[in-house]
Amino acid sequence: MVKLSNEMVEDFAKMKIFPFATASRNGDPNVIPIGFCKLQEDRETIWIADNYFHKTRHNLEENPRGAIYVWGPEIKGCYQIKGDFEIKTDGEEYENMYKTVKKMGERFPAKALAIMKITEVYECKSGDGAGKQLL
Amino acid sequence: MVKLSNEMVEDFAKMKIFPFATASRNGDPNVIPIGFCKLQEDRETIWIADNYFHKTRHNLEENPRGAIYVWGPEIKGCYQIKGDFEIKTDGEEYENMYKTVKKMGERFPAKALAIMKITEVYECKSGDGAGKQLL
């Protein structure tokens, strides 16, 4: 596991929507915009709510890996974050996510909590340094 | 191959940066922001310039599949587009891309042209219809 730096934590906090990529076991890539993507206090764990996942959920069940990036207007850096996933549909962590999501909107089903443990961080700013592993 | 609808073409034209997902042959997903992503007149082909690809290029070489989504401020719909890829580093199409990229900025290396043939389009707007195959 790796912990995000202070600068990365600041950038992460400014993101409203994250592109979230997964892949099927046979390597078919998928990418969707997600709203509930919360870095936890340990800086190495990210909680993602499954409200309307279909291919994404199927992919995570059979191939628990994912990638997001942190980039956009008002964000200094551009970081790609990869990690390993665990899906929770009950227990304390799931209940915590469920309550938070329901406060945001009663309509959201909050079907599952996808917990990402960060394994690598890469530079994704355009230029010769792009793709370099940072953490 | 499938052709984008009029509405999708209009939305596509408003996008400035696209999230672009690929995966390694063993299913490790990757996602990066890309600037040069041009729908061609046939509405079923997309040209993507490789300026600074690393993992993305490696993935496309060993597993020629990719996904993008069309969504953002001022964009009505939310569509995920998947397709099959071919990489070109010479020939007429590559030369056309090279000239266009160099006009945008002499610093861009324009190393390769990744040609995507659209195979599927999915709904990715939040809600019960998310994940539905549209085309």
Side-chain angles (χ1 to χ4, degrees), chain B residues 19-100:
Chain B
F20 178 33
T22 56
S24 65
R25 195 187 290 137
N26 64 7
D28 201 37
N30 200 74
V31 61
I32 57 168
I34 55 167
F36 189 103
C37 180
K38 309 283 187 198
L39 183 66
Q40 303 299 294
E41 281 192 13
D42 66 7
R43 299 176 167 212
E44 63 183 29
T45 308
I46 295 169
W47 282 16
I48 294 173
D50 169 8
N51 284 305
Y52 304 108
F53 290 177
H54 291 264
K55 298 190 297 302
T56 296
R57 177 69 176 274
H58 183 264
N59 289 348
L60 289 174
E61 299 277 2
E62 69 176 26
N63 177 29
R65 285 282 288 170
I68 60 173
Y69 67 69
V70 173
W71 177 83
E74 298 174 28
I75 289 173
K76 272 179 279 179
C78 183
Y79 311 109
Q80 186 200 59
I81 299 172
K82 291 203 185 201
D84 295 324
F85 278 82
E86 195 181 351
I87 302 285
K88 303 257 188 189
T89 54
D90 56 23
E92 195 180 327
E93 292 167 308
Y94 170 76
E95 296 297 336
N96 280 347
M97 178 280 301
Y98 185 91
K99 281 179 205 155
T100 310

Side-chain angles (χ1 to χ4, degrees), chain A:
Chain A
M1 301 308 127
V2 299
K3 286 180 191 291
L4 298 192
S5 70
N6 290 348
E7 203 175 41
M8 290 170 187
V9 171
E10 278 173 34
D11 284 343
F12 199 104
K14 291 179 193 152
M15 291 285 288
K16 291 190 182 78
I17 300 289
F18 294 78
F20 177 33
T22 56
S24 64
R25 195 187 290 137
N26 66 7
D28 201 36
N30 201 72
V31 61
I32 57 168
I34 55 167
F36 189 103
C37 181
K38 309 283 186 198
L39 182 66
Q40 303 298 294
E41 282 193 11
D42 66 6
R43 298 176 168 213
E44 63 184 28
T45 309
I46 295 168
W47 283 15
I48 294 174
D50 169 9
N51 283 307
Y52 303 108
F53 290 177
H54 290 266
K55 298 191 296 303
T56 295
R57 176 71 176 274
H58 184 265
N59 289 347
L60 288 173
E61 299 276 3
E62 68 175 28
N63 177 29
R65 285 281 288 170
I68 61 173
Y69 66 69
V70 173
W71 177 82
E74 299 174 28
I75 289 173
K76 273 180 278 178
C78 183
Y79 310 110
Q80 186 200 60
I81 299 172
K82 291 203 187 201
D84 294 325
F85 278 82
E86 195 181 349
I87 302 287
K88 304 256 188 190
T89 54
D90 55 24
E92 195 180 327
E93 292 167 308
Y94 170 75
E95 297 296 337
N96 280 346
M97 177 281 299
Y98 184 90
K99 281 178 205 154
T100 311
V101 170
K102 287 291 179 182
K103 271 185 209 157
M104 294 165 69
E106 186 54 42
R107 70 190 181 282
F108 295 123
K111 290 184 289 185
L113 169 64
I115 300 179
M116 182 188 201
K117 287 286 180 185
I118 301 171
T119 54
E120 307 116 76
V121 180
Y122 296 90
E123 178 64 67
C124 70
K125 196 171 270 183
S126 176
D128 290 337
K132 190 186 160 203
Q133 189 165 351
L134 300 171
L135 295 174

